[in-house]
Amino acid sequence: MYAWAVIVAAGRGERLLSATGGVAKQFLEWQGHPLYWASARTFARCAGIHGLVFVFPETALEDESCRVRWLAGDLGLPCRCVAGGARRQDSVRHGLDALPDEADAVLIHDAARPFASVVLAERVLDGLRGGAAGVIPVVPVTDTIKVVRDGVVSMTPDRASLAAVQTPQGFSVSVLREAHARAAAEGWDVTDDAMLLEHCGHTVCTVPGADGNIKITRAEDLHMLERLASPMRPCVGYGYDVHRYVDPDEPRARPLRLGGVSVPGGGMAVQAHSDGDVLLHALMDALLGCLGEGDIGQLFPDSDPALDNVSSCVLLDAVLERARQRQLRIEHVDLTVVAQKPRVSPHREAIRGNVARLLGLAAGRVCVKATTEEHLGFTGQGLGIKAVAVVTASLPQS
Ligand code: CTP
Ligand code: MG
């Protein structure tokens, strides 16, 4: 098998024009190059791909051909450029016309899918090697899909039999050329190339697609580019907090809570303005440390009557909202409770599960440890409890 890839980049990107300031999406600058170049790089890393055809809008052909000639040296693959047509299927047909005679297999790929991976492309190529005339990557549909006519539902297809289709789609060149010729002769209008094979009675096989392989289509999708475009820098936040033990009937005495979990205090309570969850307080300080935004004392002053006996889970939510705004990506959380009493270890797993839930992390990314200080110092004498938190995370480079 001798395969080339056709990257279709001749659309107008109408649905995004207002968000991009008039630039067709395939030409948005991403990672230092136009978006379509991301797909070129991916195919260049596929052992089974021997060359690339780029399909550009007629008006951009001259400039983009120059650019491709300039960049192609980095790829180590022959590159050809042609003008597209009014519909995607016309652009694909023009791309097929530009393939060299020796190409007997082709991957057709949307330039608007910059996250396609080498693994996915190889999976499609493997399907072709297995003898299929057409191979498409698909992902299961999660929404219920309705057939709607004139604003009225006419039927609901069985979701289990539905699949969302991605590119790259792989084809035998001769079969796809013939299908396109019939489509042109008989006036078929299709949204992907596999449909042409279906119309011609050929079997189209599927391989698993990839959830991340989205097509940049609407303004919301641009966030995906921003997130992936900005390199992240690692950061570490450290938090430390102490609460004094008091009798439960003293003012501001709170029953012991650790990581949002009630822990029997053995007759002791902690003194606090909020609910006194020493572990969540240390965790919040560590998160704020990652953000470089001070500490919880500044954020939630204990003079604020609104925060009297407030749940630390609510305070944590406010800190996490700040973290979200700054796009903090939490990698791991390591927590240590230091107390002579009560014994924390029986509650460790419950605390770990709850903290993981509060942070939206897998439990494996949260560690909860407990220790005593061998009867030394204030925890050793049972006067209070302390907690230490270390958060490792990353932030967008700014
Ligand atoms: N495409 C193409 N020629 C066309 C239409 C589309 O080469 N006449 C390409 C697009 O550049 C894109 C891919 O086909 O890489 C998928 O199409 P789509 O996401 O619909 O892109 P656009 O047609 O450019 O966007 P829109 O429909 O919003 O105008
Ligand atoms: Mg379109």
Side-chain angles (χ1 to χ4, degrees):
M1 195 174 85
Y2 188 77
W4 274 49
V6 172
I7 298 174
V8 283
R12 292 214 290 259
E14 305 254 16
R15 285 167 283 185
L16 257 175
L17 285 183
S18 56
T20 63
V23 181
K25 57 192 176 183
Q26 64 273 33
F27 299 124
L28 286 171
E29 189 180 320
W30 193 58
Q31 297 188 335
H33 295 297
L35 192 67
Y36 68 78
W37 198 249
S39 306
R41 279 192 178 133
T42 303
F43 291 127
R45 296 190 350 253
C46 291
I49 296 292
H50 298 279
L52 301 176
V53 174
F54 295 87
V55 188
F56 293 123
E58 179 102 59
T59 49
L61 182 62
E62 203 179 315
D63 288 352
E64 295 306 325
S65 303
C66 266
R67 183 156 29 191
V68 167
R69 262 200 305 281
W70 175 254
L71 293 173
D74 292 344
L75 289 186
L77 279 183
C79 293
R80 299 179 175 188
C81 298
V82 290
R87 299 168 302 172
R88 182 184 180 281
Q89 71 191 80
D90 302 320
S91 297
V92 173
R93 201 179 63 248
H94 295 187
L96 288 176
D97 290 344
L99 288 174
D101 293 341
E102 59 275 27
D104 57 1
V106 64
L107 296 189
I108 309 290
H109 185 60
D110 293 334
R113 290 187 192 268
F115 311 123
S117 66
V118 175
V119 173
L120 180 62
E122 294 286 2
R123 207 178 284 157
V124 175
L125 288 170
D126 278 344
L128 293 176
R129 285 188 196 103
V135 180
I136 61 173
V138 296
V139 288
V141 171
T142 49
D143 291 329
T144 296
I145 308 285
K146 306 271 184 200
V147 178
V148 180
R149 289 203 183 87
D150 301 326
V152 175
V153 174
S154 65
M155 70 166 289
T156 305
D158 172 22
R159 192 168 64 187
S161 70
L162 296 174
V165 177
Q166 304 182 333
T167 71
Q169 300 189 349
F171 301 96
S172 141
V173 170
S174 57
V175 170
L176 188 59
R177 277 208 177 112
E178 196 186 301
H180 270 281
R182 267 189 74 185
E186 297 176 29
W188 300 343
D189 217 354
V190 296
T191 50
D192 77 345
D193 299 282
M195 252 173 105
L196 296 176
L197 264 70
E198 294 159 46
H199 280 319
C200 294
H202 291 289
T203 303
V204 176
C205 298
T206 64
V207 292
D211 286 338
N213 182 23
I214 63 155
K215 182 156 70 83
I216 303 295
T217 306
R218 299 185 193 87
E220 309 82 270
D221 303 331
L222 290 175
H223 296 304
M224 293 292 292
L225 295 179
E226 280 159 22
R227 201 154 58 80
L228 288 160
S230 56
M232 305 290 276
R233 66 172 171 83
C235 53
V236 174
Y238 172 85
Y240 174 78
D241 194 38
V242 169
H243 280 279
R244 176 196 297 276
Y245 282 149
V246 290
D247 278 339
D249 46 9
E250 282 199 31
R252 303 196 307 153
R254 317 290 187 210
L256 187 60
R257 294 180 77 80
L258 293 172
V261 173
S262 288
V263 173
M268 304 305 291
V270 293
Q271 197 171 50
H273 181 57
S274 69
D275 69 357
D277 189 324
V278 71
L279 192 58
L280 289 189
H281 292 184
L283 172 60
M284 285 188 267
D285 268 354
L287 288 166
L288 290 168
C290 286
L291 299 173
E293 293 191 17
D295 59 39
I296 51 170
Q298 287 167 260
L299 211 56
F300 311 115
D302 61 8
S303 51
D304 184 346
L307 301 178
D308 182 30
N309 205 10
V310 68
S311 161
S312 296
C313 300
V314 172
L315 303 182
L316 177 63
D317 263 351
V319 171
L320 287 175
E321 181 51 34
R322 282 171 170 252
R324 265 190 291 278
Q325 278 168 15
R326 296 275 308 279
Q327 297 178 44
L328 183 80
R329 197 161 69 206
I330 303 170
E331 302 292 351
H332 192 82
V333 172
D334 188 16
L335 305 171
T336 305
V337 181
V338 185
Q340 195 67 45
K341 58 177 189 180
R343 282 195 62 223
V344 174
S345 48
H347 308 284
R348 210 159 42 188
E349 280 310 306
I351 295 170
R352 178 194 208 187
N354 200 49
V355 170
R357 182 184 63 80
L358 292 170
L359 295 174
L361 290 179
R365 289 173 176 239
V366 176
C367 178
V368 176
K369 307 197 290 299
T371 184
T372 70
E373 287 185 307
E374 299 284 339
H375 298 285
L376 297 169
F378 72 86
T379 68
Q381 291 163 29
L383 300 176
I385 182 168
K386 66 183 168 190
V388 175
V390 177
V391 172
T392 44
S394 50
L395 275 171
Q397 204 83 261
S398 53

